[in-house]
Amino acid sequence: MTLTREYRAAANLEGPFPATSEDITELNAVFSDAFTDRYRRDGLLGVRVPPLNPAIWRYAVQDAGEGALVWRNTRGEIVAFNMVHLSGTEGWMGPLAVRPDWQGNGVGKVVVRTGIEWLKARGARVIGLETMPRTVDNIGFYSTLGFVPGHLTLTVWLPAAPGDEPVVMLSELDSAQRERAFDRCRDLTEEQLPGYDFGREIELTAALGLGDTLLLVEGDELRGFALFHSVPLVEGRGREELRVLKLVLRHENDVEAMARALAVAALRDGTKSVAVRVQTAYRDSYQRLLRIGARVRWSDLRMTIPEHSEVRATSGVVFSNWEI
């Protein structure tokens, strides 16, 4: 028994190594086992977390780039991972997990601290992650590493629906128009939260065929945009929802118009609903969405390092999903 525990100690961990698409099967197994075990320890004994769609893993690994980190045991098996993302100056971690048989002996601290240092070294102004609010063990664990609780991220759901207004998609523009629109999306993000940049996510989503970017326009003005994925999140399932990863608006009172446009986009894309992850720092936006029929489906707790905490856009809205 002593030898087994010693073998699985953090001192016997090898890495971090860069994750590649060749690691997706192993990453999926660690992800599923770790989160199933987390639910079991929360008392949800019948829950089995399914593997993610490999296409989503390809996005996660490529979006993280050099921040896609894995740790291995002496047999070369992946026992922990941390997908560390940097969107301009916004840094966050997720998903991250440790294989259940390697938990409780310092491995998790190594994984998270490495992510923090990786982001600091690259000038991240924001360093954060999300965890389940009911999971006090996780909240306590991250708190020992310097994170403090912030606001909630509430996933709200709207059904797909027809609409009268035309819906403009980045993919449907010609190459010159698409390039101009792409630049305007980056400019709008910079205007609302200086330093933030979602350009890589927009390009990668298009390149991998995972979704699109909806443009909210009025004449020549870009009022906002929403980057979404519509491929199944879970391996082997059909297309069920359009998931918004990034949403930027110049004015907060445009949130209803964006929600209606997304509902039309979902219908066009053959999905049943829209899922928007709303940071509750934007209280007015949250209330506006509820007033037009949005329903809360899930909650996550946002946690950040105090000296690397978030700020909200002063005139508009920036919803930035910290999950894949």
Side-chain angles (χ1 to χ4, degrees):
M1 180 64 71
T2 302
L3 289 175
T4 301
R5 288 183 59 83
E6 183 179 356
Y7 176 73
R8 292 175 179 169
N12 293 308
L13 200 64
E14 298 182 354
F17 303 103
T20 71
S21 58
E22 300 299 317
D23 297 318
I24 287 175
T25 299
E26 275 195 274
L27 288 168
N28 235 345
V30 175
F31 171 86
S32 179
D33 289 347
F35 282 91
T36 296
D37 182 68
R38 178 67 266 173
Y39 279 113
R40 180 189 61 79
R41 286 185 283 133
D42 283 346
L44 301 174
L45 302 181
V47 174
R48 175 69 190 176
V49 175
L52 295 179
N53 183 343
I56 299 298
W57 272 114
R58 282 192 288 275
Y59 175 84
V61 170
Q62 292 184 43
D63 184 56
E66 294 179 355
L69 308 175
V70 298
W71 286 260
R72 300 178 183 275
N73 61 19
T74 55
R75 294 191 296 272
E77 301 165 337
I78 294 176
V79 296
F81 66 84
N82 190 353
M83 299 293 115
V84 188
H85 306 264
L86 187 62
S87 301
T89 57
E90 182 197 38
W92 55 278
M93 293 177 267
L96 62 94
V98 177
R99 209 170 75 181
D101 58 334
W102 275 74
Q103 293 177 13
N105 49 24
V107 174
K109 290 183 178 180
V110 170
V111 168
V112 176
R113 283 173 176 155
T114 301
I116 294 171
E117 294 308 313
W118 190 93
L119 289 170
K120 285 182 176 179
R122 286 155 182 81
R125 192 185 74 203
V126 175
I127 298 178
L129 51 78
E130 289 183 340
T131 190
M132 293 179 285
R134 69 175 178 274
T135 306
V136 294
D137 289 350
N138 279 9
I139 296 170
F141 167 73
Y142 292 126
S143 295
T144 64
L145 295 172
F147 289 89
V148 296
H151 52 263
L152 293 175
T153 292
L154 297 177
T155 302
V156 303
W157 175 92
L158 284 163
D164 298 328
E165 296 295 323
V167 174
V168 181
M169 295 293 181
L170 188 66
S171 66
E172 296 173 352
L173 304 178
D174 64 41
S175 58
Q177 291 174 325
R178 190 162 55 246
E179 185 175 346
R180 286 195 299 270
F182 176 80
D183 289 340
R184 291 168 73 192
C185 289
R186 298 182 82 165
D187 290 343
L188 179 57
T189 306
E190 173 71 20
E191 170 193 306
Q192 293 301 314
L193 283 176
Y196 279 47
D197 185 354
F198 302 140
R200 185 182 67 257
E201 288 88 345
I202 293 173
E203 291 182 318
L204 188 56
T205 293
L208 296 177
L210 303 179
D212 210 330
T213 300
L214 186 153
L215 307 174
L216 193 66
V217 296
E218 184 174 9
D220 292 331
E221 180 190 8
L222 178 67
R223 293 159 58 190
F225 69 90
L227 169 66
F228 65 82
H229 288 177
S230 54
V231 297
L233 181 62
V234 174
E235 186 174 14
R237 291 190 183 170
R239 298 161 69 91
E240 296 177 347
E241 63 182 11
L242 186 153
R243 302 180 304 280
V244 176
L245 275 67
K246 311 291 180 184
L247 187 153
V248 180
L249 295 172
R250 179 167 279 114
H251 304 292
E252 195 162 13
N253 58 13
D254 275 332
V255 71
E256 296 100 329
M258 176 61 84
R260 286 191 289 268
L262 285 165
V264 174
L267 190 68
R268 286 179 45 180
D269 212 56
T271 60
K272 300 175 183 178
S273 61
V274 177
V276 182
R277 291 172 55 79
V278 179
Q279 280 79 67
T280 55
Y282 297 91
R283 295 178 183 177
D284 187 56
S285 293
Y286 173 64
Q287 291 177 315
R288 285 172 179 268
L289 290 169
L290 293 186
R291 283 197 292 268
I292 64 171
R295 296 291 179 265
V296 178
R297 295 282 297 273
W298 192 256
S299 63
D300 290 284
L301 177 65
R302 207 93 154 177
M303 301 186 74
T304 57
I305 302 292
E307 60 272 27
H308 295 275
S309 59
E310 292 182 276
V311 296
R312 58 156 290 166
T314 53
S315 63
V317 173
V318 178
F319 294 158
S320 181
N321 188 0
W322 285 357
E323 289 191 353
I324 296 300

